[in-house]
Amino acid sequence: MNIVMMGPPGAGKGTQAKFLSKEFGIPHISTGDMLREEISAGTPLGKKVEEILKSGKLVEDKLMIDIIRERLSKKDVEKGFILDGFPRTLSQAEALDELLESLHKRVEYSIYVEVPEKVIVERLSARRVCPKCGRIYNMISNPPKHDEICDVCGVKLITRDDDKPETVRERYKIYTEMTEPVINYYRKRNVLFTVDGTLDVEKVKEMLLNIVGGTK
Ligand code: AMP
């Protein structure tokens, strides 16, 4: 089962992708997480992209396509995969199709988690991340048990640089310009399924299972 999660930053794609990954036993591939890991590890790639991520702008297509090509060549994607954060531009979507064709695969479900900008800015300003385990909290809808402390690791939670309100607005603008054409691309191919991302997490999960459930 090959799934692509679409939607603005903060729509809840990551949460839902993790859920589907567990449910169907297929890897969750988040390009944002992969880049953040490179940055934390201080690799040459990490150093190259650090400032771009901070600003909320997009990393160049060629680099992202190379990263995905390498990731999709791994054995664990044989039964399927869930891409989260890729493709974000039309050229990435076209490159992905080409790549999948060469692997005798295709995108079966492009799931669009739709959320308006105002809700996104509110949500992301309340988002906190554990710097140790990567667990994500929301101070309004999913707070930790103790004030801004990770339930699992006991360390102080942080706000991602790119979750600051000015950067969130910039990311949403880029998303509208660059990623909405990708949504239309999948719509034309009849693989686009839209869910209302303002609903609560459990409801969205249920809707996703209804969309992809039949083919488990
Ligand atoms: P995310 O966690 O998916 O919101 O990604 C965080 C940041 O990583 C984005 O704001 C971009 O700077 C970069 N990034 C992640 N995926 C891509 C992609 N497919 N194309 C370009 N930049 C990306």
Side-chain angles (χ1 to χ4, degrees):
M1 184 185 301
N2 307 328
I3 303 174
V4 166
M5 302 293 295
M6 305 289 308
K13 300 187 297 288
T15 306
Q16 297 299 340
K18 283 192 190 97
F19 162 70
L20 289 174
S21 162
K22 228 170 156 188
E23 187 73 17
F24 294 99
I26 52 178
H28 165 213
I29 303 174
S30 156
T31 43
D33 285 350
M34 289 166 85
L35 295 173
R36 280 185 289 275
E37 274 160 29
E38 298 282 340
I39 294 172
S40 312
T43 65
L45 172 62
K47 292 202 173 93
K48 192 168 167 189
V49 299
E50 189 166 8
E51 287 307 311
I52 305 176
L53 263 79
K54 263 194 196 154
S55 72
K57 296 203 165 60
L58 293 185
V59 174
E60 62 182 285
D61 285 338
K62 189 179 170 314
L63 192 62
M64 294 311 303
I65 292 163
D66 287 346
I67 290 175
I68 283 294
R69 180 177 300 112
E70 201 201 317
R71 182 62 187 85
L72 292 183
S73 70
K74 302 225 162 103
K75 264 220 151 324
D76 67 343
V77 301
E78 240 152 48
K79 267 175 56 197
F81 54 79
I82 302 160
L83 286 183
D84 165 14
F86 187 98
R88 260 180 157 96
T89 65
L90 214 44
S91 20
Q92 291 181 11
E94 285 162 1
L96 176 65
D97 272 352
E98 250 174 59
L99 175 64
L100 290 177
E101 205 178 312
S102 71
L103 299 167
H104 308 289
K105 295 181 196 289
R106 65 187 174 86
V107 171
E108 289 160 289
Y109 302 95
S110 173
I111 295 174
Y112 172 30
V113 186
E114 197 176 21
V115 183
E117 180 175 6
K118 189 171 166 287
V119 180
I120 293 292
V121 175
E122 280 165 13
R123 260 193 203 175
L124 290 191
S125 315
R127 180 155 83 172
R128 301 288 181 277
V129 188
C130 171
K132 200 165 168 207
C133 71
R135 212 179 143 124
I136 293 170
Y137 297 87
N138 187 291
M139 296 311 291
I140 299 163
S141 58
N142 176 32
K145 291 197 187 83
H146 304 286
D147 195 36
E148 310 233 354
I149 301 288
C150 178
D151 292 347
V152 183
C153 309
V155 300
K156 178 127 181 57
L157 303 176
I158 55 166
T159 304
R160 263 168 54 178
D161 281 335
D162 57 354
D163 281 347
K164 311 244 156 82
E166 327 74 78
T167 317
V168 171
R169 284 194 198 93
E170 173 71 9
R171 285 165 72 200
Y172 199 93
K173 188 169 144 250
I174 293 173
Y175 156 78
T176 310
E177 281 167 21
M178 308 300 279
T179 312
E180 282 196 342
V182 184
I183 291 166
N184 287 327
Y185 176 85
Y186 288 123
R187 185 175 284 123
K188 277 191 206 135
R189 301 239 329 250
N190 286 324
V191 291
L192 189 78
F193 299 84
T194 304
V195 294
D196 178 353
T198 64
L199 299 175
D200 73 57
V201 177
E202 293 307 316
K203 183 73 195 153
V204 177
K205 280 183 184 169
E206 199 185 307
M207 291 165 80
L208 293 187
L209 284 182
N210 280 335
I211 293 167
V212 301
T215 49
K216 185 170 178 177

